[in-house]
Amino acid sequence: MTGRLLNNRYMITERVGVGGMAEVYRAQDNVLGRTVAVKVMLSQYAEDEVFTARFRQEAAAAANLQSPYIVNVYDWGQDNGTYYIVMEFVRGSDLKNAINQRGAINQRKVAEIGSQVCQALSVAHGLDIIHRDIKPQNIMVQPDGNVKVMDFGIARAKNSTMAKTSAVLGTAHYISPEQAQGKDLTPASDIYSLGVVLYESVTGKLPFDGPDAVSVAMKQVQEAPVPPSQVNPAIDSDFEAIILKAMSKNPLDRFNTALEMRRALNDYLAGRTVNVGSFNTAQTAAMTSNLPVMNAGNGAYAGAGSTSVMPALAEEAHSTGTAGSNAYLNSNNKKQGRGKTIGIVVAILAAIALIAAAVHFLGNAADGVEVPTVTGSTLEEATDSIQKAGFTVGSVQYSYDSSVEAGKVVSQDPKGGSKAKAKSKINLIISEGEETVEVPDLTNMTPEAAQKALSAAGLKYVAGAAEHSDQVASGKVARQNPEAGTSVPAGSSVTYYLSAGEETVKIPNVVGMSESKAKVTLENAGFSVEVEKASSSSVNEGDVISQTPGANSGAKAGTTVLITVSAGTKSYTVKVTAGEGGTAWAEPDTVSEGGSVTIRYQAKPGYKVSQATGATGTDFKATSNTEGSFTVNNVTQNLSISVTFVPDSSGNTNGGGNGQTGNNTNTGGGTTSN
């Protein structure tokens, strides 16, 4: 699949995950130029109408869900028999991976995750969509700590026609009791599954486990969970109450909505009183006395109608190939004995739980001492207050908290004002203040590299408008805000600006403008101006003759443009003198700079031209010429021409000799006649 181009748009680059019915790949959207995740249905299901319908249903359901805590769905389609869904590419790892690596997670962090998942579920439930498979594997934790709920692959809208095929899907460790029994589901089923997720996250252990999916599902239906505080004593009683209420066996005993559960979690996080109604841990422990018990004769639960737990797990057992579940389905004798045993054990456990609760209550009544409130105190002050009240300081943990000053108590367990045995331990969590991180230097990075660097630092990224830069190549980061090295709160946004390359400006045309107007025009366009003067007989004095670089060419702002301005024209006089024996004159006797003048001469009878000297002193030699002319070109100074005549020894009586014309050029300030 890697290297394949789907519908001439999505280039598959690498596989990042695989599920029961699909594989997920990283891909490049060649139209929008962004990284996306592409979910591709496994080939063995492509011809199954049920699976393809479910695949299309996932895209349609998820595409309508808009929440910062839900993975966005952009597109879906089919290419040569390959069905795919295009989604937002989420960086980070799933919650299950975090639990496997760390074990129990800080309870405040777990509560924050739960609150965000509740917000996502409230959006889905508002559109009559039930997720049906809430589990840690479907909750992505991003580098900034926020979560994204994904995989609505088995979500079902209430008006869906796929009720039968989708009713029993789910993962045994997280499904609700009613889901295990194949009953119609409500949003309360998602709330139960989230309760299991929170339980596992805060304890590091699943509330129900077993050798196979069927045995786990039976426990979901019949057994009460061990209170989380018995697994992790650091768990706050209010948070424990929220988890156990969500995991109530009866859907009516759970939170009415995901939004209601979110409010309870937010109250806990803010230190406000948490109200979960009349629910308490003792009630949870005693729940099993009222639960339906497996009927040894037919495998159904008494009081549950004729719905059996078996169909609910049949599809999962088939898909996972779990040997234990098949053995269960094929053994009536084992099933009967197991049902009776479970009933007895459940009754014993319930009795023990009630006795334990009663002993705990009586002990506290006899020996209970009021716990001092030390939240907001320094560790030293808290220790002093705890010891004076007859208690000891238990575990001291540190956690970032932007709402509590560094070094002061964020929370305590047991809570202040509650009763506890004298000399018992009080556990504390101390604030480390707001978590800050250093902004990395993104200069010259590609957008992908910049985003990766920011995510790794626990920061969000925002792409700003491209800017021209003569220092950074086009398409790479030219500037960022905040600047590199700045300390900012974790999760802050950093804006990066890509280079649009070196900026060039079109040079305006100023030829023919006056010098002053040309300078203003060029300077307003961002250019420097240099002026040179030149004479011109065709351009009025003070107007621009030419410009360099030429008009409409592109150049960097600040480039110097040279304009040549007309200095007008100069006039020069021409003085011609003739010796004895003839006459000479200029036509005209005044000439503009660079112009030409004709020198004419006429010898008297018996004379001829001997020579003519000009400004350069170069002689003009005439041979038997008695009359004629020559031209001086490109006059750049006053001229003084002298024509000399000598007697004509040939006896020529000036019968009209041929005049000679000389082409004269000014060299070194003089005029040369040839």
Side-chain angles (χ1 to χ4, degrees), residues 30 41 68 82 113 118 138 157 185 189 310 335 337 339 341 369 408 465 482 497 516 525 537 615 624 642:
N30 291 336
M41 181 189 291
T82 298
I113 291 171
C118 281
N138 283 338
L185 301 187
S189 182
M310 292 305 100
K335 181 170 62 178
T341 302
V369 178
K408 294 190 175 180
Y497 302 85
S516 58
S537 59
S624 66
S642 177

Side-chain angles (χ1 to χ4, degrees), residues 537-548:
S537 59
S538 60
V539 178
N540 293 333
E541 184 176 358
D543 290 349
V544 177
I545 301 170
S546 63
Q547 65 184 81
T548 305

